[in-house]
Amino acid sequence: MPVNPNDPRVKRTRQLFIQAFNDLLDEKRNLYSISVHDIAARASVNRATFYAHFEDKFAFLEYWMTEKFKIIVRKKLPDDSPFSQESLRILVQTIFQFQVRFRQYITPGDRQFEPLLEKAMQKELYRLLLQWLNSKPNQCLPQEKLEVLALVVSWGVFGSALQWSRDTKVRSLESIVEDVMEVVTVNMGPFWEQENSGA
């Protein structure tokens, strides 16, 4: 029977796994050599409990990356941040900076996990953008269009950050963020402009 992720006990147990994994990562400096056994042992929880929460190490890594990304974003943008050009700029810049830091974790042996971890980041970015779009009281686009808009923008921003993080010497962070914001504003601008105009 699947666990309820909103149950406080489940949250506490998952936090134990995340803390154990973070500690192991500090010691081993790579992802691939950390096993489910290592994580469960460090968290002082048996492996059966781990598998009650996560199907395998890959499922855990996706959860770990999502939570890590959420924490970083919340530090810059609290949950009640309004959907504005400034909020979106902070979000875009945070994604670019996070990608650079994320690359420092990845060793040659960890390449197999890259697509999984990147997908987790993109999914969280999509969720946040869609939440912002749905929070607009006067927006009249159907839900399907909002979902497509959030999908296209999330992949556009994320893909740009991913590409830039592979060679940051080509352009400055400020320059690339400015260009990405120009493109994103064409699609997202109408949503915050209505708010700013008092419509």
Side-chain angles (χ1 to χ4, degrees):
M1 187 173 133
V3 295
N4 174 7
N6 297 315
D7 185 319
R9 290 167 301 175
V10 169
K11 287 181 178 178
R12 275 196 301 274
T13 303
R14 290 188 170 189
Q15 194 50 50
L16 282 176
F17 289 136
I18 285 178
Q19 188 57 56
F21 184 76
N22 287 339
D23 291 346
L24 289 163
L25 193 56
D26 284 341
E27 290 168 19
K28 300 194 177 192
R29 311 303 299 174
N30 64 67
L31 304 174
Y32 69 89
S33 67
I34 302 172
S35 67
V36 169
H37 173 78
D38 294 334
I39 299 167
R42 180 61 65 97
S44 301
V45 176
N46 65 48
R47 285 173 64 180
T49 302
F50 179 94
Y51 286 116
H53 288 258
F54 304 104
E55 187 179 342
D56 52 25
K57 179 179 168 179
F58 290 93
F60 170 75
L61 284 174
E62 185 174 350
Y63 177 78
W64 169 76
M65 178 53 77
T66 302
E67 291 303 300
K68 192 174 185 58
F69 187 55
K70 278 182 182 174
I71 289 166
I72 297 288
V73 170
R74 277 197 201 112
K75 280 181 183 169
K76 303 281 183 79
L77 285 170
D79 285 338
D80 59 353
S81 298
F83 183 31
S84 65
Q85 189 166 12
E86 186 52 31
S87 292
L88 190 58
R89 185 185 302 280
I90 291 167
L91 180 60
V92 169
Q93 192 165 338
T94 301
I95 289 156
F96 274 75
Q97 291 167 333
F98 187 83
Q99 276 286 3
V100 173
R101 281 200 297 271
F102 168 63
R103 292 219 157 268
Q104 296 168 356
Y105 276 107
I106 299 294
T107 66
D110 294 331
R111 298 287 179 216
Q112 60 182 312
F113 302 116
E114 264 188 288
L116 173 83
L117 298 174
E118 288 163 358
K119 186 180 170 199
M121 279 186 265
Q122 182 275 326
K123 273 171 66 177
E124 181 54 25
L125 175 56
Y126 166 80
R127 187 197 67 76
L128 185 53
L129 289 172
L130 188 59
Q131 181 179 300
W132 266 345
L133 290 169
N134 279 322
S135 72
K136 294 295 298 176
N138 298 323
Q139 76 79 20
C140 53
L141 282 180
Q143 186 63 26
E144 297 81 24
K145 294 258 177 150
L146 291 178
E147 288 169 8
V148 169
L149 178 55
L151 188 67
V152 169
V153 171
S154 65
W155 273 115
V157 171
F158 180 77
S160 302
L162 180 62
Q163 188 68 30
W164 177 79
S165 72
R166 290 173 175 155
D167 188 4
T168 58
K169 296 185 187 75
V170 174
R171 299 186 62 182
S172 70
L173 174 65
E174 293 74 21
S175 164
I176 188 73
V177 166
E178 203 53 48
D179 283 353
V180 168
M181 278 300 297
E182 264 187 53
V183 174
V184 169
T185 299
V186 171
N187 297 292
M188 305 292 272
F191 289 89
W192 65 66
E193 282 165 10
Q194 289 168 16
E195 182 179 4
N196 292 345
S197 66

